[in-house]
Each structure stands twice: as structure tokens, then as C-alpha cells.
Amino acid sequence: MTAGCTEEQTRQVEPAPSDEQTATDPIASGRASYEAHCMSCHGPDGTGTGELVGDLDVLPADLTLLSSNNDGTFPLDKVIATIDGREEVRGHGTREMPVWGNIWSEEDGTPLPEDVVQQRINELVEYLRSIQAQE
């Protein structure tokens, strides 16, 4: 059980999506991105309990409470701006170089088309929306 959570608040971690799922399901694709780029800090269930927490100066947010912390409304624009680097988050680094670097805008050093970048961000956002704690 996660420290500080009641049994009802603890989320079950689903098995990782298959390659076939990520190709056809935006939430599965978003989950794959989350696992590759966010999980080490925010944890497998999004509650901020990743393996790197002990090494961080700023504790990661509990991403399952984004809606709860915004009067029950998922803060879509703020989440997108945080992911793409327009919204500065102390723990993520500067807007010019978020902790994850250029993963949203380049692949193998080659700039990606804007629609591909936006699709990747949208998939991650849909995954985050899907893990919100129920009121």
C-alpha cells in the first residue's frame, strides 16, 4: 500500500500496454509515454511515489488529483502547457529545457511535425485524465 493512502485510495497498476494497443489506443500510447518519461518521479500509479523521489529537491505532484484540486474539472490547458514546457514547474527545470529534454519535439535529433508532437502530448494528457481519482 502507498504510504499515507487508505486502502480505498490506493490504485491498482494495470499491466503495461502491448505495442498493438499503443498503435490503436491513445490512452495506451499516453501510458507508454508516461511510463517512459514520467513514472520515475510520479510513480507507477501517478501518486508522486516514483523511484527517484528520494533524490528530488521538489516532490512530484500526485497526478491522480489534478481534477480534485481544480474543483472536479481536469485542467486541460494547464496540463498541456506543463507537458510542452510553456508552464514552468520548478521540479521540471526551465521552459527552454524541461527535465525530459526534446522528447516531444524531436526523434533521433530530427524535428517532428507539429501535428505529431501535439498527438503525443494529447495522448499523454488523455492517459492522465484516465487516472484521476474518483470523488
Side-chain angles (χ1 to χ4, degrees):
M1 183 176 327
T2 305
C5 291
T6 65
E7 191 170 330
E8 294 81 24
Q9 293 171 317
T10 303
R11 298 181 146 273
Q12 296 296 319
V13 177
E14 299 291 324
S18 67
D19 288 341
E20 184 177 308
Q21 283 176 304
T22 59
T24 60
D25 180 358
I27 292 174
S29 294
R31 180 176 175 193
S33 290
Y34 175 86
E35 289 174 350
H37 306 292
C38 311
M39 188 167 72
S40 59
C41 294
H42 291 281
D45 60 359
T47 59
T49 58
E51 62 188 45
L52 297 180
V53 167
D55 297 328
L56 303 175
D57 292 333
V58 178
L59 293 178
D62 181 337
L63 299 176
T64 68
L65 299 178
L66 295 171
S67 292
S68 294
N69 292 338
N70 288 279
D71 298 321
T73 302
F74 186 78
L76 179 66
D77 292 337
K78 183 173 181 162
V79 172
I80 290 171
T82 299
I83 293 168
D84 71 15
R86 288 179 288 140
E87 177 87 15
E88 194 164 321
V89 176
R90 200 173 93 187
H92 287 175
T94 64
R95 284 182 284 216
E96 293 79 28
M97 185 59 153
V99 70
W100 50 79
N102 295 322
I103 61 155
W104 304 112
S105 60
E106 293 181 1
E107 193 166 277
D108 299 325
T110 303
L112 292 169
E114 181 63 28
D115 61 327
V116 173
V117 173
Q118 195 59 56
Q119 178 181 344
R120 289 180 174 185
I121 292 171
N122 291 346
E123 290 167 348
L124 178 56
V125 168
E126 286 310 309
Y127 173 70
L128 294 175
R129 188 189 314 250
S130 78
I131 64 167
Q132 295 306 290
Q134 300 302 309
E135 302 279 328

